[in-house]
Amino acid sequence: MRRPGARAVWALHLAVILLLLGLQVVVPPFHQIMLARIMVLAVYAIGYNVLLGYAGLMSLGHAMLFASGMYATGLTILYFGVGAGAAFGLGVLASAVMATALGLVTLRASRVSFLIVTMMFSQAFYLATLYFNEITMGDQGFIISGQLAPLRAGGREFAFSDPAVKYNLALVVFALCLMLSVWLTRSPIGRVLVGVRENEERTRLLGYNPLSYKLLALIASGTIAGASGSLYTLMFSYVGSSFASILYSIYPLLWTLLGGTGTTLGPLLGTALMTYVVDIASGLTSSYLLLVGATLLILIMWFPAGVMGGIRTRWARWLP
Amino acid sequence: MSFEGHLFLALLEGTVTGFVLALTALGLSLVFGVMRIVNVAHGEFFMLGAVIAWYFSTLPGGFLPALVAAPLLVGAAAFLADRLVLRRLEYKPESTIVATIGLLYIIQQLVLTVYGPYARPVAAPVYFRLDFPWFGYSGYKLVVAGVSAALLGATWLVMSRTTLGLYMRATQQDREMAQAFGVSVDRVYALVFALGAGLAAMAGALVVPIQQAHYLMGLDALLMSFIVVILGGLGSLGGTVAAAFLIGVSDGLVSVFFSPTLAKIVATLLVALVLVLRTGGLFGEEGT
Amino acid sequence: MTRLLETTGLSKTFDGLEAVRRVDFRLETGEIRAIIGPNGAGKTTLVSMISGRISPTSGRVLFKGKDVTGLRAWDRVALGIVYTFQVTSIFKNLTVFENVALAAQRRLMTGALSRLTLPQRTLAEHVQAALAQVGLPDAGDRHAGSLPYGHQKLLEVAMALALKPELLILDEPTQGLAPEEIAALSRLIRALSRGVTMLLIEHNMAVVLELATKVTVMDKGDILAEGTPSEVEAHPDVQKVYLGL
Ligand SMILES: Nc1ncnc2c1ncn2[C@@H]1O[C@H](COP(=O)(O)OP(=O)(O)OP(=O)(O)O)[C@@H](O)[C@H]1O
Ligand SMILES: [Mg+2]
């Protein structure tokens, strides 16, 4: 009676995935690439939302986790010619390890300090990608298309340069992460995370160690972010330190706030809206980041619940 | 150049950097201390100061009036930002951070639109060289250090000798109590935010002849100020100045002998650890 | 009777204020123990150190003969020490159901798998049982913050019950309740006491006299007297402290 319509919830998410599956047949190639990019970035936002939306922790250091996935995948392909699948696995693993280390160090801090400290560690990571530019090629970055072998499955080859391959890979990872996040937030662990967010002391006196649950959330969040970074590398074949810069910590915050913090579909919606808006704006002006700033300001001042949050309070309380 | 020459240069550069950094970070520290908020847009106030100074240098009046105009203009902008944005958010820590990130991009991108992506130099208003046994040194840098020192002293006087300073200290100690004693906390907040921004703008204006004005120069200023404020203890004037010198000089030393990037990595990591290990956190809230 | 809980030399100092002073306190299994005392006597502070909510300045806490002084609150909950807050601490933005579910699932989360998924029906049964016990069977869908204060206290009790305690510490549970609700809660406490040892902080003397098997009187951080309700009532120091209130 309380977690209304478990079936409706799963059906809704399945419908969204099917919609995305169908969309590739109807949209023109340009939008197909855009949507593929949106899906892979939405995975990043989904990961961010696990931490912000459910554990209530705001991080400004996720670029480090996103970029860990990128670099682990990109560098192993570039220098060791690792296959795409293994490189993806390494990317996810690297960000999981990074998230664990980051959590062990930073979660001791209070909420506001956590924000600042994650930003500083991420900035150190960013500077490190510049400092070791003989390996990472710093700002300029590197391209892996020359070293990247196509995927082989069922006797067929799938080249990453093929838009359809990009799209469907992004869709598969997106669908998995979306369902993972829906399930996680409805699981007992998800309930504890909400408890930690709402009233940490009470949660402690109900028998839960808040620190270990926050760590769990950060690891889950970072691992999903890393999966996004890793896949992004495979799809677009490029890695550069700008992906580790603070802007890439702010993006998932923006997407999540815009779509609706603590909603499962918010990250996709926020990423889609913002990616399109930024794309259009960047065609018109070099100051397109003005939109990023203005949107953040408007959201926090007038619409802190975001789009899905607004829909939830107004029309559909059952939305997860 | 000999080893002593390098060492002396590093110390000298470090001292100058330390003074400018102290001035920039002091503004952030006041805002931290009195208002208990993290102003992520602080570096942009620094950048605005620099850009305004460049603009003045192209006018007939020259560079010098900018040293008055930049802090006043930027202070006024900050005053408005406090009234229109921060106060409406009731200074909630996380909301203010998001809002000031928004302000950061708005200011930065507006400057990009109006001023362009260039790094523009400004001729120093005074030009003389000091000759040391190993090298000649720009006298303007020493002027910058001197002016910064004077402003730090002036801020200290305001804090310790004036009614405004008393109100600020009272608000910092206990907001409710200050309010009960008739301090208009709202007004103090707006003034502190403006003062903090003004100090940063002043520092920005002062360094233009050394550093050139560029729309992205705020981020570095912000990070360095963070480092200084966290090391020095928030709202502590003495601590901020001491930390600024420590960072300025060690940054100077490490940068001359190693790489500036490495210096920043090390400083950032160290300070992040300090913040984690300091019990009570940034605002003395209880950690877990 | 067996000893369930023992504190030795338990003290807590807040910025120079000795809220609890070297208290030696013993509790036998199956008791309904009441702690009474004027405001600021240190009752909440004492039980907070027992539940692990705050750590003592000095002294030890033994539970079933085992030293639990170094255990954190969540580990003590796992041992069966459960505390309900004097000033209600609930999840105001969540539904009543979710509040109790968070407590109930703690007992159900036994293996790794049950952390990831729990049968919805089992959980709902546990939640419903706890809510029915405290007399809030129909409140599940309401927002916890929208309940009247007295019912928020009952929700606290329901959350505690869902944790299946061995030692249940109730800090002024009847505060804000109507007389008939107090009577119902008293009946519940008595019924529960067959399986659960009760430590009850209470200002309502009628409730204390009716329920308690033994009463501890605290004043200024010390234990002033201890005995059956009638012994304590007759104790001259208690009369002085209490009638002076
Ligand atoms: N966290 C704290 N910090 C400082 N002092 C505290 C704190 N908690 C309690 N005290 C002080 O310790 C003393 C004992 O408080 P406690 O809450 O234990 O009393 P109590 O017996 O539960 O009173 P009441 O009947 O009012 O609930 C009081 O003087 C109180 O002001
Ligand atoms: Mg009490």
Side-chain angles (χ1 to χ4, degrees), chain C residues 14-15 17 19 37-46 86 171-172 201 203:
Chain C
F14 293 113
D15 312 315
L17 172 91
N39 291 109
K43 307 180 294 291
T44 297
T45 308
L46 174 65
Q86 172 176 5
D171 200 342
E172 304 196 16
I201 298 179
H203 279 299

Side-chain angles (χ1 to χ4, degrees), chain B:
Chain B
M1 196 156 61
S2 65
F3 176 77
E4 305 91 74
H6 277 296
L7 188 65
F8 186 73
L9 177 63
L11 285 174
L12 199 60
E13 286 280 289
T15 311
V16 175
T17 313
F19 269 116
V20 176
L21 196 51
L23 201 58
T24 317
L26 181 61
L28 188 66
S29 173
L30 284 176
V31 171
F32 256 128
V34 177
M35 303 170 70
R36 312 247 140 179
I37 59 164
V38 180
N39 175 20
V40 185
H42 191 70
E44 304 315 302
F45 293 143
F46 174 87
M47 179 272 285
L48 270 183
V51 169
I52 291 174
W54 169 83
Y55 176 70
F56 269 83
S57 74
T58 64
L59 299 181
F63 172 78
L64 284 177
L67 294 181
V68 180
L72 282 181
L73 287 172
V74 174
F79 187 90
L80 278 182
D82 174 78
R83 284 286 145 126
L84 298 181
V85 179
L86 302 184
R87 187 141 68 113
R88 293 200 191 180
L89 294 172
E90 292 159 6
Y91 305 101
K92 277 178 281 191
E94 283 167 0
S95 310
T96 359
I97 289 175
V98 175
T100 52
I101 294 174
L103 286 177
L104 182 161
Y105 281 106
I106 291 175
I107 297 173
Q108 185 196 79
Q109 298 294 309
L110 283 178
V111 169
L112 173 62
T113 312
V114 177
Y115 169 87
Y118 320 102
R120 301 196 219 229
V122 169
V126 288
Y127 188 82
F128 61 94
R129 282 180 78 79
L130 286 177
D131 282 313
F132 294 107
W134 312 279
F135 54 82
Y137 198 69
S138 152
Y140 179 70
K141 288 192 178 181
L142 296 179
V143 173
V144 168
V147 174
S148 301
L151 282 169
L152 289 170
T155 312
W156 178 77
L157 279 178
V158 169
M159 287 294 284
S160 58
R161 299 285 156 83
T162 64
T163 326
L164 173 65
L166 179 69
Y167 285 176
M168 279 162 59
R169 279 178 290 138
T171 311
Q172 175 163 0
Q173 297 260 314
D174 187 336
R175 192 193 146 139
E176 268 82 47
M177 193 68 101
Q179 194 126 37
F181 276 94
V183 176
S184 162
V185 168
D186 269 349
R187 202 169 307 160
V188 171
Y189 275 18
L191 284 175
V192 166
F193 201 65
L195 177 63
L199 286 171
M202 187 69 191
L206 278 173
V207 299
V208 183
I210 307 174
Q211 261 194 13
Q212 307 191 332
H214 186 249
Y215 81 106
L216 288 178
M217 70 198 291
L219 190 60
D220 211 34
L222 173 72
L223 282 166
M224 293 306 271
S225 305
F226 261 141
I227 292 177
V228 166
V229 169
I230 290 164
L231 269 189
L234 53 114
S236 148
L237 208 151
T240 303
V241 173
F245 274 93
L246 183 72
I247 291 293
V249 172
S250 55
D251 190 60
L253 283 176
V254 180
S255 305
V256 167
F257 292 105
F258 301 98
S259 112
T261 312
L262 186 62
K264 286 217 180 75
I265 295 177
V266 172
T268 311
L269 285 178
L270 279 180
V271 169
L273 282 177
V274 167
L275 189 51
V276 172
L277 295 177
R278 180 185 295 164
T279 50
L282 201 55
F283 296 134
E285 341 92 300
E286 211 168 293
T288 45

